[in-house]
Amino acid sequence: MLPSCASSSRALLACSCRAQRWLPVRSSPSFRQFSSAPLPRDFTFHPDFFTVQEQCVLLKAALRKLDSMESSRYRRRRKEFLRTSAPAGTQDSVQGLFLPDELYDFQEGHFDGVIKHYREMHVTSWPEDMPDLPSLLDRLRTVHPDQDTQTHILHLASKGEILPHVDNLEASGSWILGVSLGDERVLRLENPSSRERYELSLPSGSVYLQRDSIRYNYQHSILAKPDGRQRLSIMIRDRKAAGSP
């Protein structure tokens, strides 16, 4: 049985695929408005795929992986904070699992300038002492193609953001799946040629899959916000087949 999470949190229905509308785009008249547009082709969205309890399990596992890669200096700081300070929120809530920003070794900018204020790592294995974790990872496999994959964890600081980009097509294949945990942020998809732009709010526990035309023709970004909080995403991509162009 999964550990109890915040009793005040409403029950969420896993794997719900209810109709979802895109946010209106007001920033520029040169972009089309999609205030009532349906999801674009080649984009699938599950707004409440994971319950709050399940989000806690995934986030604890992901933070443990990231924390283990940091220097002993930061590990000592977190240990001292937990020993002497009461947590800012209940440790049974998703956002309450994050520690203050200054206790993580967030990087100011990515080597390619796309990501700001972040931690990241590639994942080849998950903690084996979390019995509820494997079934959650197995459920993710039901919504993406059955292929050889690679997994990446990306942790954004409260002021973190991802600037518009198309992922390196030489390093991965035709689809990307994203699990959102923590702060709700806006995903923007923008076609530089047609000037079409979509924006969608990503609540914690949601899962999206972008593939083919969305994957290749649209830049994607995660917008910063003035009152932002920390956000972590688990990204799964297909590996590019050997010998493919």
Side-chain angles (χ1 to χ4, degrees), residues 7 12 41 56 58 68 72 74-76 81 112 145 174-175 197 202 216 221 238 244:
S7 59
L12 298 178
R41 184 170 62 89
C56 290
L58 288 167
S68 68
S72 58
Y74 278 93
R75 294 200 299 270
R76 286 195 301 269
F81 175 85
D112 57 10
S174 64
W175 59 265
R197 179 193 289 179
L202 301 177
Y216 294 110
S221 56
D238 61 323
S244 61

Side-chain angles (χ1 to χ4, degrees), residues 39 46 51 84-85 91 96 100 103 110 124 179 196 205 211 220 222 231:
L39 295 172
H46 306 271
T51 66
T84 61
S85 305
Q91 287 292 299
L103 297 179
H110 200 256
T124 57
V179 180
E196 289 182 344
R211 58 191 304 173
H220 60 274
I222 296 293
R231 177 186 191 275

Side-chain angles (χ1 to χ4, degrees), residues 43-46 143 176-180 187 189 200 202 206-210 220 222 231 233 235:
F43 190 97
T44 305
F45 185 53
H46 306 271
V143 296
I176 304 172
L177 178 144
V179 180
S180 297
L187 169 69
L189 300 171
L200 180 68
L202 301 177
S206 64
V207 173
Y208 68 82
L209 178 69
Q210 55 174 315
H220 60 274
I222 296 293
R231 177 186 191 275
S233 57
M235 310 298 297

Side-chain angles (χ1 to χ4, degrees), residues 164-183:
H165 70 288
V166 174
D167 288 327
N168 184 358
L169 301 181
E170 299 299 321
S172 57
S174 64
W175 59 265
I176 304 172
L177 178 144
V179 180
S180 297
L181 301 169
D183 194 27

Side-chain angles (χ1 to χ4, degrees), residues 2 5-6 12 24 33 37 63 92 95 97 102 133 137 140 142 145 157 221 227:
L2 290 170
C5 280
L12 298 178
Q33 305 299 299
L63 287 174
D92 289 329
Q95 198 65 45
L97 294 175
E102 60 269 19
L133 182 61
L137 299 176
L140 283 175
T142 68
S221 56
D227 57 345

Side-chain angles (χ1 to χ4, degrees), residues 7-22:
S7 59
S8 60
S9 298
R10 70 183 185 277
L12 298 178
L13 295 176
C15 300
S16 170
C17 298
R18 65 173 181 262
Q20 186 72 18
R21 298 296 182 181
W22 293 81

